[in-house]
Amino acid sequence: MKYLIYLILVLLLVPLQTTLLPHLSVWNIKPDLGLVAAALVGLFAGELEGLLVGLAIGWVLSLFSAGELWLSLLTNGGVGLLAGFLGRQVSQVTSISLGVGLLLASLASGLFAAMNFKHLDVSQMWWMVESIVLPQACFDGAVGAGLYWLLSRRFHVTRLRTE
């Protein structure tokens, strides 16, 4: 049953990202739901499932985008693995700590993507970081923190609490 939910999540993420998110954009910046979903799966289900779902999400999203394949795979899979590891090691994960972690992961991912563009000078790269990468990282952190807050209120997660 759990794997069916993961399959539905992976397959419905692309239509959700392309149809719903343009209506939820703020200043034409949309959150990266793949990154947020991989972190939440890793946090709630563990490292291995976070890694595998993150890799699957990265692969499916990279099929429908113009970005580099390896970048999406590494960031989504890495975030799922890291969130699962931190969820097991940290005694009390809060929505703020998850939001800050997602902000940093999204910022690193955006910086790698900006550096991957060829034929950009420093002023164009700075404009991209200032107007796209940083606002999207803040938006990803806020969306991830909000979703974690909602899910942690709905589901009792004993896995995250170390006694």
Side-chain angles (χ1 to χ4, degrees), residues 4-17:
L4 180 65
I5 292 172
Y6 292 157
L7 181 67
I8 290 170
L9 174 71
V10 169
L11 292 178
L12 287 181
L13 202 59
V14 172
L16 181 70
Q17 187 122 355

Side-chain angles (χ1 to χ4, degrees), residues 129-153:
V129 168
E130 178 182 49
S131 63
I132 297 171
V133 173
L134 190 59
Q136 183 177 359
C138 293
F139 204 9
D140 289 345
V143 167
L147 284 176
Y148 177 74
W149 182 78
L150 287 174
L151 289 173
S152 66
R153 297 288 181 242

Side-chain angles (χ1 to χ4, degrees), residues 11-162:
L11 292 178
L12 287 181
L13 202 59
V14 172
L16 181 70
Q17 187 122 355
T18 57
T19 59
L20 179 66
L21 286 186
H23 301 291
L24 298 177
S25 66
V26 177
W27 296 305
N28 211 14
I29 302 293
K30 296 171 257 191
D32 185 5
L33 285 185
L35 193 73
V36 173
L40 290 175
V41 167
L43 198 59
F44 282 108
E47 301 97 346
L48 182 61
E49 292 179 25
L51 174 67
L52 294 177
V53 170
L55 288 174
I57 288 171
W59 180 70
V60 168
L61 287 177
S62 68
L63 287 177
F64 297 99
S65 69
E68 292 286 331
L69 173 66
W70 63 270
L71 183 65
S72 182
L73 283 172
L74 287 178
T75 55
N76 288 333
V79 163
L81 177 71
L82 183 64
F85 178 73
L86 289 177
R88 187 169 46 98
Q89 298 298 322
V90 175
S91 65
Q92 193 70 0
V93 176
T94 64
S95 58
I96 293 174
S97 63
L98 179 70
V100 169
L102 274 173
L103 184 142
L104 294 175
S106 178
L107 188 61
S109 171
L111 288 175
F112 284 133
M115 288 188 297
N116 199 25
F117 281 107
K118 299 187 178 29
H119 309 297
L120 288 181
D121 60 0
V122 176
S123 65
Q124 291 171 330
M125 178 105 43
W126 178 250
W127 176 84
M128 184 182 291
V129 168
E130 178 182 49
S131 63
I132 297 171
V133 173
L134 190 59
Q136 183 177 359
C138 293
F139 204 9
D140 289 345
V143 167
L147 284 176
Y148 177 74
W149 182 78
L150 287 174
L151 289 173
S152 66
R153 297 288 181 242
R154 173 78 171 107
F155 302 107
H156 182 67
V157 185
T158 57
R159 180 188 168 280
L160 299 177
R161 291 171 177 74
T162 57

